[in-house]
Amino acid sequence: MAAVNERVVHRSNALLGQAYGQGFSYNEALLTGPGLKGRLKAFGVVAALGAFMLGALVKPGRYLMQRFLLPKPGEGPSEAAQLAGHFDLRFWGKGEAGQALSLKVTGDRDPGYGATAKMLGQAALFLALNMRAGSEKTGRPGGFWTPASAFGEGYLDRLRRHSGMTFELGEGN
């Protein structure tokens, strides 16, 4: 998702009047470990993703993936596994003055099922309660907004209060 996320984050910065800074940059990476072992893991990840994408492009590959690799409709983690799931994400960055920043985001449900459903539900409620056309609450004209530029802190507050998510801003690593 890095290619899509990068565009959305940069558009958010532009829509928010360069709120993240004029020289802001954003990228995503997967840590595979140090040295030769980490480099080999990185090459393996790239090769596997490339093979998956290539397989998805050609009809025989799609057939084989649907038959042997991908879950069937209705398959997925059990309810118990979803309830037991959680996530813990870490983000690091540098401010304009070079200071180190970090953000820890956690959730109390499986990120692919329970947490995503709660995030979408809270987004829908936020839209219904705060983003009505002509509402005094939004201060936003029509157009194409990113979630960060349209929702702002109000959505984060809903996620904190109702979705079992935490957002911890810190300094350093």
mmCIF file of all heavy atoms in Angstrom, residues 32-81:
data_model
loop_
_atom_site.group_PDB
_atom_site.id
_atom_site.type_symbol
_atom_site.label_atom_id
_atom_site.label_comp_id
_atom_site.label_asym_id
_atom_site.label_seq_id
_atom_site.Cartn_x
_atom_site.Cartn_y
_atom_site.Cartn_z
ATOM 1 N N THR A 32 13.752 -5.892 7.588
ATOM 2 C CA THR A 32 14.026 -7.318 7.411
ATOM 3 C C THR A 32 15.262 -7.769 8.188
ATOM 4 O O THR A 32 15.628 -8.930 8.096
ATOM 5 C CB THR A 32 14.207 -7.655 5.918
ATOM 6 O OG1 THR A 32 15.259 -6.847 5.388
ATOM 7 C CG2 THR A 32 12.925 -7.435 5.146
ATOM 8 N N GLY A 33 15.874 -6.859 8.908
ATOM 9 C CA GLY A 33 17.032 -7.231 9.716
ATOM 10 C C GLY A 33 18.339 -6.779 9.081
ATOM 11 O O GLY A 33 18.395 -6.436 7.903
ATOM 12 N N PRO A 34 19.407 -6.817 9.877
ATOM 13 C CA PRO A 34 20.702 -6.332 9.396
ATOM 14 C C PRO A 34 21.480 -7.374 8.605
ATOM 15 O O PRO A 34 21.165 -8.563 8.633
ATOM 16 C CB PRO A 34 21.437 -6.006 10.703
ATOM 17 C CG PRO A 34 20.878 -6.993 11.686
ATOM 18 C CD PRO A 34 19.429 -7.174 11.288
ATOM 19 N N GLY A 35 22.474 -6.900 7.908
ATOM 20 C CA GLY A 35 23.441 -7.769 7.257
ATOM 21 C C GLY A 35 22.906 -8.555 6.078
ATOM 22 O O GLY A 35 21.851 -8.262 5.514
ATOM 23 N N LEU A 36 23.670 -9.581 5.720
ATOM 24 C CA LEU A 36 23.353 -10.420 4.567
ATOM 25 C C LEU A 36 22.013 -11.138 4.751
ATOM 26 O O LEU A 36 21.218 -11.231 3.821
ATOM 27 C CB LEU A 36 24.473 -11.434 4.323
ATOM 28 C CG LEU A 36 24.282 -12.374 3.137
ATOM 29 C CD1 LEU A 36 24.168 -11.580 1.833
ATOM 30 C CD2 LEU A 36 25.406 -13.376 3.066
ATOM 31 N N LYS A 37 21.742 -11.613 5.966
ATOM 32 C CA LYS A 37 20.488 -12.312 6.233
ATOM 33 C C LYS A 37 19.290 -11.380 5.991
ATOM 34 O O LYS A 37 18.306 -11.777 5.372
ATOM 35 C CB LYS A 37 20.478 -12.831 7.672
ATOM 36 C CG LYS A 37 19.323 -13.723 7.995
ATOM 37 C CD LYS A 37 19.457 -14.285 9.407
ATOM 38 C CE LYS A 37 18.290 -15.175 9.744
ATOM 39 N NZ LYS A 37 18.374 -15.697 11.110
ATOM 40 N N GLY A 38 19.389 -10.137 6.448
ATOM 41 C CA GLY A 38 18.317 -9.167 6.223
ATOM 42 C C GLY A 38 18.155 -8.839 4.752
ATOM 43 O O GLY A 38 17.035 -8.706 4.249
ATOM 44 N N ARG A 39 19.269 -8.710 4.038
ATOM 45 C CA ARG A 39 19.216 -8.421 2.605
ATOM 46 C C ARG A 39 18.570 -9.571 1.835
ATOM 47 O O ARG A 39 17.760 -9.354 0.940
ATOM 48 C CB ARG A 39 20.620 -8.152 2.068
ATOM 49 C CG ARG A 39 20.634 -7.671 0.634
ATOM 50 C CD ARG A 39 22.019 -7.230 0.237
ATOM 51 N NE ARG A 39 22.400 -6.044 0.968
ATOM 52 C CZ ARG A 39 22.482 -4.835 0.437
ATOM 53 N NH1 ARG A 39 22.213 -4.673 -0.837
ATOM 54 N NH2 ARG A 39 22.829 -3.810 1.154
ATOM 55 N N LEU A 40 18.901 -10.813 2.212
ATOM 56 C CA LEU A 40 18.291 -11.968 1.560
ATOM 57 C C LEU A 40 16.790 -12.029 1.830
ATOM 58 O O LEU A 40 16.003 -12.348 0.932
ATOM 59 C CB LEU A 40 18.975 -13.255 2.002
ATOM 60 C CG LEU A 40 20.414 -13.447 1.498
ATOM 61 C CD1 LEU A 40 21.047 -14.676 2.139
ATOM 62 C CD2 LEU A 40 20.450 -13.529 -0.018
ATOM 63 N N LYS A 41 16.381 -11.702 3.069
ATOM 64 C CA LYS A 41 14.951 -11.649 3.385
ATOM 65 C C LYS A 41 14.259 -10.589 2.534
ATOM 66 O O LYS A 41 13.161 -10.805 2.026
ATOM 67 C CB LYS A 41 14.731 -11.315 4.864
ATOM 68 C CG LYS A 41 14.932 -12.452 5.805
ATOM 69 C CD LYS A 41 14.607 -11.982 7.218
ATOM 70 C CE LYS A 41 14.940 -13.004 8.262
ATOM 71 N NZ LYS A 41 14.694 -12.492 9.617
ATOM 72 N N ALA A 42 14.891 -9.430 2.385
ATOM 73 C CA ALA A 42 14.310 -8.346 1.586
ATOM 74 C C ALA A 42 14.141 -8.784 0.132
ATOM 75 O O ALA A 42 13.083 -8.555 -0.469
ATOM 76 C CB ALA A 42 15.186 -7.092 1.670
ATOM 77 N N PHE A 43 15.149 -9.417 -0.431
ATOM 78 C CA PHE A 43 15.034 -9.914 -1.803
ATOM 79 C C PHE A 43 13.927 -10.968 -1.912
ATOM 80 O O PHE A 43 13.193 -11.017 -2.897
ATOM 81 C CB PHE A 43 16.357 -10.480 -2.308
ATOM 82 C CG PHE A 43 17.369 -9.428 -2.678
ATOM 83 C CD1 PHE A 43 18.646 -9.470 -2.154
ATOM 84 C CD2 PHE A 43 17.035 -8.394 -3.539
ATOM 85 C CE1 PHE A 43 19.581 -8.505 -2.489
ATOM 86 C CE2 PHE A 43 17.959 -7.418 -3.882
ATOM 87 C CZ PHE A 43 19.236 -7.470 -3.348
ATOM 88 N N GLY A 44 13.797 -11.815 -0.889
ATOM 89 C CA GLY A 44 12.740 -12.824 -0.881
ATOM 90 C C GLY A 44 11.354 -12.191 -0.852
ATOM 91 O O GLY A 44 10.444 -12.636 -1.560
ATOM 92 N N VAL A 45 11.180 -11.145 -0.052
ATOM 93 C CA VAL A 45 9.891 -10.451 0.014
ATOM 94 C C VAL A 45 9.555 -9.835 -1.350
ATOM 95 O O VAL A 45 8.432 -9.969 -1.847
ATOM 96 C CB VAL A 45 9.907 -9.368 1.113
ATOM 97 C CG1 VAL A 45 8.714 -8.436 0.999
ATOM 98 C CG2 VAL A 45 9.953 -9.996 2.495
ATOM 99 N N VAL A 46 10.528 -9.175 -1.959
ATOM 100 C CA VAL A 46 10.303 -8.546 -3.268
ATOM 101 C C VAL A 46 9.976 -9.611 -4.316
ATOM 102 O O VAL A 46 9.042 -9.438 -5.120
ATOM 103 C CB VAL A 46 11.520 -7.694 -3.689
ATOM 104 C CG1 VAL A 46 11.418 -7.256 -5.140
ATOM 105 C CG2 VAL A 46 11.660 -6.492 -2.775
ATOM 106 N N ALA A 47 10.705 -10.715 -4.304
ATOM 107 C CA ALA A 47 10.451 -11.781 -5.274
ATOM 108 C C ALA A 47 9.060 -12.380 -5.072
ATOM 109 O O ALA A 47 8.327 -12.614 -6.045
ATOM 110 C CB ALA A 47 11.522 -12.872 -5.158
ATOM 111 N N ALA A 48 8.665 -12.620 -3.834
ATOM 112 C CA ALA A 48 7.346 -13.195 -3.554
ATOM 113 C C ALA A 48 6.232 -12.242 -3.980
ATOM 114 O O ALA A 48 5.238 -12.662 -4.590
ATOM 115 C CB ALA A 48 7.222 -13.533 -2.068
ATOM 116 N N LEU A 49 6.373 -10.951 -3.676
ATOM 117 C CA LEU A 49 5.363 -9.978 -4.095
ATOM 118 C C LEU A 49 5.292 -9.879 -5.612
ATOM 119 O O LEU A 49 4.201 -9.808 -6.182
ATOM 120 C CB LEU A 49 5.655 -8.603 -3.486
ATOM 121 C CG LEU A 49 5.352 -8.457 -2.003
ATOM 122 C CD1 LEU A 49 5.854 -7.113 -1.485
ATOM 123 C CD2 LEU A 49 3.872 -8.607 -1.729
ATOM 124 N N GLY A 50 6.440 -9.894 -6.267
ATOM 125 C CA GLY A 50 6.466 -9.845 -7.725
ATOM 126 C C GLY A 50 5.796 -11.062 -8.335
ATOM 127 O O GLY A 50 5.014 -10.956 -9.287
ATOM 128 N N ALA A 51 6.081 -12.240 -7.780
ATOM 129 C CA ALA A 51 5.470 -13.473 -8.284
ATOM 130 C C ALA A 51 3.959 -13.452 -8.063
ATOM 131 O O ALA A 51 3.186 -13.861 -8.936
ATOM 132 C CB ALA A 51 6.090 -14.688 -7.597
ATOM 133 N N PHE A 52 3.531 -12.961 -6.917
ATOM 134 C CA PHE A 52 2.099 -12.870 -6.633
ATOM 135 C C PHE A 52 1.412 -11.936 -7.629
ATOM 136 O O PHE A 52 0.365 -12.265 -8.182
ATOM 137 C CB PHE A 52 1.885 -12.384 -5.196
ATOM 138 C CG PHE A 52 0.437 -12.325 -4.800
ATOM 139 C CD1 PHE A 52 -0.211 -13.457 -4.336
ATOM 140 C CD2 PHE A 52 -0.278 -11.144 -4.893
ATOM 141 C CE1 PHE A 52 -1.549 -13.419 -3.970
ATOM 142 C CE2 PHE A 52 -1.613 -11.088 -4.537
ATOM 143 C CZ PHE A 52 -2.257 -12.224 -4.068
ATOM 144 N N MET A 53 2.012 -10.766 -7.858
ATOM 145 C CA MET A 53 1.416 -9.799 -8.789
ATOM 146 C C MET A 53 1.386 -10.357 -10.214
ATOM 147 O O MET A 53 0.396 -10.206 -10.920
ATOM 148 C CB MET A 53 2.170 -8.471 -8.746
ATOM 149 C CG MET A 53 2.100 -7.768 -7.404
ATOM 150 S SD MET A 53 0.426 -7.453 -6.845
ATOM 151 C CE MET A 53 -0.015 -6.129 -7.925
ATOM 152 N N LEU A 54 2.462 -10.974 -10.623
ATOM 153 C CA LEU A 54 2.506 -11.566 -11.960
ATOM 154 C C LEU A 54 1.458 -12.677 -12.089
ATOM 155 O O LEU A 54 0.739 -12.752 -13.086
ATOM 156 C CB LEU A 54 3.909 -12.115 -12.259
ATOM 157 C CG LEU A 54 4.103 -12.699 -13.655
ATOM 158 C CD1 LEU A 54 3.860 -11.638 -14.725
ATOM 159 C CD2 LEU A 54 5.498 -13.280 -13.780
ATOM 160 N N GLY A 55 1.359 -13.512 -11.060
ATOM 161 C CA GLY A 55 0.361 -14.571 -11.070
ATOM 162 C C GLY A 55 -1.055 -14.026 -11.147
ATOM 163 O O GLY A 55 -1.925 -14.603 -11.803
ATOM 164 N N ALA A 56 -1.306 -12.908 -10.497
ATOM 165 C CA ALA A 56 -2.640 -12.303 -10.515
ATOM 166 C C ALA A 56 -2.967 -11.701 -11.876
ATOM 167 O O ALA A 56 -4.139 -11.545 -12.220
ATOM 168 C CB ALA A 56 -2.743 -11.245 -9.429
ATOM 169 N N LEU A 57 -1.958 -11.367 -12.664
ATOM 170 C CA LEU A 57 -2.176 -10.737 -13.964
ATOM 171 C C LEU A 57 -2.596 -11.716 -15.059
ATOM 172 O O LEU A 57 -3.293 -11.334 -15.990
ATOM 173 C CB LEU A 57 -0.911 -10.006 -14.421
ATOM 174 C CG LEU A 57 -0.616 -8.685 -13.742
ATOM 175 C CD1 LEU A 57 0.746 -8.160 -14.180
ATOM 176 C CD2 LEU A 57 -1.694 -7.667 -14.042
ATOM 177 N N VAL A 58 -2.137 -12.950 -14.955
ATOM 178 C CA VAL A 58 -2.410 -13.908 -16.028
ATOM 179 C C VAL A 58 -3.486 -14.899 -15.583
ATOM 180 O O VAL A 58 -3.514 -15.331 -14.429
ATOM 181 C CB VAL A 58 -1.125 -14.645 -16.472
ATOM 182 C CG1 VAL A 58 -0.131 -13.681 -17.093
ATOM 183 C CG2 VAL A 58 -0.487 -15.388 -15.331
ATOM 184 N N LYS A 59 -4.361 -15.256 -16.513
ATOM 185 C CA LYS A 59 -5.523 -16.089 -16.183
ATOM 186 C C LYS A 59 -5.138 -17.423 -15.521
ATOM 187 O O LYS A 59 -5.736 -17.792 -14.502
ATOM 188 C CB LYS A 59 -6.375 -16.309 -17.425
ATOM 189 C CG LYS A 59 -7.732 -16.843 -17.127
ATOM 190 C CD LYS A 59 -8.622 -16.796 -18.357
ATOM 191 C CE LYS A 59 -10.036 -17.196 -17.970
ATOM 192 N NZ LYS A 59 -10.966 -17.015 -19.072
ATOM 193 N N PRO A 60 -4.156 -18.175 -16.049
ATOM 194 C CA PRO A 60 -3.803 -19.436 -15.377
ATOM 195 C C PRO A 60 -3.288 -19.213 -13.954
ATOM 196 O O PRO A 60 -3.565 -19.999 -13.060
ATOM 197 C CB PRO A 60 -2.703 -20.035 -16.267
ATOM 198 C CG PRO A 60 -2.843 -19.365 -17.576
ATOM 199 C CD PRO A 60 -3.421 -18.007 -17.307
ATOM 200 N N GLY A 61 -2.556 -18.131 -13.765
ATOM 201 C CA GLY A 61 -2.059 -17.817 -12.427
ATOM 202 C C GLY A 61 -3.195 -17.503 -11.457
ATOM 203 O O GLY A 61 -3.187 -17.972 -10.312
ATOM 204 N N ARG A 62 -4.175 -16.732 -11.921
ATOM 205 C CA ARG A 62 -5.338 -16.425 -11.075
ATOM 206 C C ARG A 62 -6.089 -17.699 -10.708
ATOM 207 O O ARG A 62 -6.491 -17.875 -9.559
ATOM 208 C CB ARG A 62 -6.279 -15.454 -11.793
ATOM 209 C CG ARG A 62 -5.841 -14.028 -11.730
ATOM 210 C CD ARG A 62 -6.942 -13.074 -12.160
ATOM 211 N NE ARG A 62 -7.476 -13.352 -13.481
ATOM 212 C CZ ARG A 62 -6.985 -12.868 -14.616
ATOM 213 N NH1 ARG A 62 -5.941 -12.051 -14.585
ATOM 214 N NH2 ARG A 62 -7.532 -13.168 -15.780
ATOM 215 N N TYR A 63 -6.254 -18.570 -11.677
ATOM 216 C CA TYR A 63 -6.951 -19.836 -11.418
ATOM 217 C C TYR A 63 -6.217 -20.634 -10.343
ATOM 218 O O TYR A 63 -6.835 -21.124 -9.386
ATOM 219 C CB TYR A 63 -7.079 -20.659 -12.707
ATOM 220 C CG TYR A 63 -7.589 -22.061 -12.453
ATOM 221 C CD1 TYR A 63 -8.940 -22.286 -12.227
ATOM 222 C CD2 TYR A 63 -6.709 -23.139 -12.413
ATOM 223 C CE1 TYR A 63 -9.409 -23.567 -11.972
ATOM 224 C CE2 TYR A 63 -7.167 -24.420 -12.158
ATOM 225 C CZ TYR A 63 -8.512 -24.628 -11.934
ATOM 226 O OH TYR A 63 -8.961 -25.895 -11.661
ATOM 227 N N LEU A 64 -4.907 -20.795 -10.498
ATOM 228 C CA LEU A 64 -4.130 -21.573 -9.530
ATOM 229 C C LEU A 64 -4.159 -20.927 -8.146
ATOM 230 O O LEU A 64 -4.271 -21.618 -7.129
ATOM 231 C CB LEU A 64 -2.686 -21.733 -10.019
ATOM 232 C CG LEU A 64 -2.506 -22.630 -11.236
ATOM 233 C CD1 LEU A 64 -1.067 -22.559 -11.743
ATOM 234 C CD2 LEU A 64 -2.898 -24.068 -10.900
ATOM 235 N N MET A 65 -4.070 -19.587 -8.107
ATOM 236 C CA MET A 65 -4.111 -18.902 -6.812
ATOM 237 C C MET A 65 -5.469 -19.083 -6.142
ATOM 238 O O MET A 65 -5.539 -19.335 -4.937
ATOM 239 C CB MET A 65 -3.762 -17.422 -6.983
ATOM 240 C CG MET A 65 -2.288 -17.222 -7.276
ATOM 241 S SD MET A 65 -1.734 -15.571 -7.765
ATOM 242 C CE MET A 65 -2.744 -14.452 -6.926
ATOM 243 N N GLN A 66 -6.555 -18.972 -6.921
ATOM 244 C CA GLN A 66 -7.896 -19.150 -6.354
ATOM 245 C C GLN A 66 -8.116 -20.585 -5.884
ATOM 246 O O GLN A 66 -8.759 -20.820 -4.866
ATOM 247 C CB GLN A 66 -8.967 -18.765 -7.372
ATOM 248 C CG GLN A 66 -9.044 -17.276 -7.602
ATOM 249 C CD GLN A 66 -9.982 -16.904 -8.734
ATOM 250 O OE1 GLN A 66 -10.303 -17.726 -9.587
ATOM 251 N NE2 GLN A 66 -10.408 -15.648 -8.743
ATOM 252 N N ARG A 67 -7.555 -21.511 -6.610
ATOM 253 C CA ARG A 67 -7.764 -22.925 -6.283
ATOM 254 C C ARG A 67 -6.936 -23.383 -5.079
ATOM 255 O O ARG A 67 -7.427 -24.146 -4.250
ATOM 256 C CB ARG A 67 -7.407 -23.766 -7.512
ATOM 257 C CG ARG A 67 -7.461 -25.236 -7.311
ATOM 258 C CD ARG A 67 -8.656 -25.836 -7.991
ATOM 259 N NE ARG A 67 -8.869 -27.183 -7.507
ATOM 260 C CZ ARG A 67 -8.830 -28.248 -8.261
ATOM 261 N NH1 ARG A 67 -8.623 -28.128 -9.551
ATOM 262 N NH2 ARG A 67 -9.034 -29.429 -7.741
ATOM 263 N N PHE A 68 -5.671 -22.910 -4.975
ATOM 264 C CA PHE A 68 -4.765 -23.477 -3.974
ATOM 265 C C PHE A 68 -4.230 -22.495 -2.931
ATOM 266 O O PHE A 68 -3.758 -22.925 -1.887
ATOM 267 C CB PHE A 68 -3.550 -24.126 -4.678
ATOM 268 C CG PHE A 68 -3.925 -25.243 -5.591
ATOM 269 C CD1 PHE A 68 -3.834 -25.098 -6.967
ATOM 270 C CD2 PHE A 68 -4.382 -26.455 -5.083
ATOM 271 C CE1 PHE A 68 -4.185 -26.136 -7.816
ATOM 272 C CE2 PHE A 68 -4.726 -27.495 -5.927
ATOM 273 C CZ PHE A 68 -4.628 -27.337 -7.302
ATOM 274 N N LEU A 69 -4.282 -21.203 -3.205
ATOM 275 C CA LEU A 69 -3.595 -20.262 -2.321
ATOM 276 C C LEU A 69 -4.540 -19.346 -1.559
ATOM 277 O O LEU A 69 -4.395 -19.163 -0.347
ATOM 278 C CB LEU A 69 -2.609 -19.427 -3.165
ATOM 279 C CG LEU A 69 -1.774 -18.393 -2.439
ATOM 280 C CD1 LEU A 69 -0.833 -19.065 -1.453
ATOM 281 C CD2 LEU A 69 -0.982 -17.558 -3.429
ATOM 282 N N LEU A 70 -5.490 -18.764 -2.241
ATOM 283 C CA LEU A 70 -6.352 -17.752 -1.637
ATOM 284 C C LEU A 70 -7.511 -18.382 -0.878
ATOM 285 O O LEU A 70 -7.987 -19.458 -1.245
ATOM 286 C CB LEU A 70 -6.892 -16.819 -2.730
ATOM 287 C CG LEU A 70 -5.819 -16.072 -3.515
ATOM 288 C CD1 LEU A 70 -6.456 -15.301 -4.673
ATOM 289 C CD2 LEU A 70 -5.031 -15.135 -2.622
ATOM 290 N N PRO A 71 -7.979 -17.713 0.180
ATOM 291 C CA PRO A 71 -9.125 -18.263 0.914
ATOM 292 C C PRO A 71 -10.394 -18.222 0.065
ATOM 293 O O PRO A 71 -10.543 -17.359 -0.800
ATOM 294 C CB PRO A 71 -9.251 -17.343 2.128
ATOM 295 C CG PRO A 71 -8.526 -16.104 1.768
ATOM 296 C CD PRO A 71 -7.498 -16.464 0.752
ATOM 297 N N LYS A 72 -11.270 -19.159 0.315
ATOM 298 C CA LYS A 72 -12.562 -19.201 -0.367
ATOM 299 C C LYS A 72 -13.499 -18.181 0.288
ATOM 300 O O LYS A 72 -13.306 -17.812 1.446
ATOM 301 C CB LYS A 72 -13.176 -20.595 -0.262
ATOM 302 C CG LYS A 72 -12.276 -21.733 -0.725
ATOM 303 C CD LYS A 72 -12.048 -21.698 -2.226
ATOM 304 C CE LYS A 72 -11.202 -22.839 -2.708
ATOM 305 N NZ LYS A 72 -9.786 -22.588 -2.761
ATOM 306 N N PRO A 73 -14.518 -17.718 -0.435
ATOM 307 C CA PRO A 73 -15.480 -16.804 0.184
ATOM 308 C C PRO A 73 -16.049 -17.411 1.465
ATOM 309 O O PRO A 73 -16.419 -18.586 1.496
ATOM 310 C CB PRO A 73 -16.557 -16.659 -0.887
ATOM 311 C CG PRO A 73 -15.846 -16.922 -2.176
ATOM 312 C CD PRO A 73 -14.824 -17.962 -1.845
ATOM 313 N N GLY A 74 -16.072 -16.619 2.511
ATOM 314 C CA GLY A 74 -16.582 -17.086 3.800
ATOM 315 C C GLY A 74 -15.513 -17.656 4.703
ATOM 316 O O GLY A 74 -15.733 -17.843 5.898
ATOM 317 N N GLU A 75 -14.342 -17.978 4.146
ATOM 318 C CA GLU A 75 -13.248 -18.474 4.980
ATOM 319 C C GLU A 75 -12.560 -17.280 5.625
ATOM 320 O O GLU A 75 -12.624 -16.163 5.145
ATOM 321 C CB GLU A 75 -12.225 -19.248 4.147
ATOM 322 C CG GLU A 75 -12.715 -20.574 3.652
ATOM 323 C CD GLU A 75 -11.639 -21.336 2.891
ATOM 324 O OE1 GLU A 75 -10.606 -20.761 2.517
ATOM 325 O OE2 GLU A 75 -11.864 -22.519 2.659
ATOM 326 N N GLY A 76 -11.889 -17.516 6.671
ATOM 327 C CA GLY A 76 -11.167 -16.461 7.358
ATOM 328 C C GLY A 76 -10.967 -16.870 8.802
ATOM 329 O O GLY A 76 -11.330 -17.976 9.205
ATOM 330 N N PRO A 77 -10.413 -15.979 9.577
ATOM 331 C CA PRO A 77 -10.163 -16.327 10.980
ATOM 332 C C PRO A 77 -11.477 -16.535 11.734
ATOM 333 O O PRO A 77 -12.492 -15.904 11.430
ATOM 334 C CB PRO A 77 -9.389 -15.131 11.530
ATOM 335 C CG PRO A 77 -9.601 -14.036 10.556
ATOM 336 C CD PRO A 77 -9.956 -14.646 9.249
ATOM 337 N N SER A 78 -11.423 -17.396 12.721
ATOM 338 C CA SER A 78 -12.598 -17.644 13.561
ATOM 339 C C SER A 78 -12.915 -16.389 14.379
ATOM 340 O O SER A 78 -12.081 -15.480 14.517
ATOM 341 C CB SER A 78 -12.327 -18.807 14.516
ATOM 342 O OG SER A 78 -11.331 -18.412 15.461
ATOM 343 N N GLU A 79 -14.110 -16.362 14.941
ATOM 344 C CA GLU A 79 -14.487 -15.219 15.786
ATOM 345 C C GLU A 79 -13.535 -15.092 16.969
ATOM 346 O O GLU A 79 -13.128 -13.994 17.333
ATOM 347 C CB GLU A 79 -15.927 -15.371 16.271
ATOM 348 C CG GLU A 79 -16.405 -14.161 17.060
ATOM 349 C CD GLU A 79 -17.847 -14.258 17.485
ATOM 350 O OE1 GLU A 79 -18.580 -15.142 17.005
ATOM 351 O OE2 GLU A 79 -18.259 -13.414 18.303
ATOM 352 N N ALA A 80 -13.141 -16.216 17.544
ATOM 353 C CA ALA A 80 -12.215 -16.190 18.672
ATOM 354 C C ALA A 80 -10.862 -15.604 18.261
ATOM 355 O O ALA A 80 -10.280 -14.799 18.996
ATOM 356 C CB ALA A 80 -12.028 -17.604 19.238
ATOM 357 N N ALA A 81 -10.387 -15.986 17.080
ATOM 358 C CA ALA A 81 -9.112 -15.444 16.601
ATOM 359 C C ALA A 81 -9.218 -13.948 16.344
ATOM 360 O O ALA A 81 -8.290 -13.191 16.640
ATOM 361 C CB ALA A 81 -8.674 -16.171 15.335
#
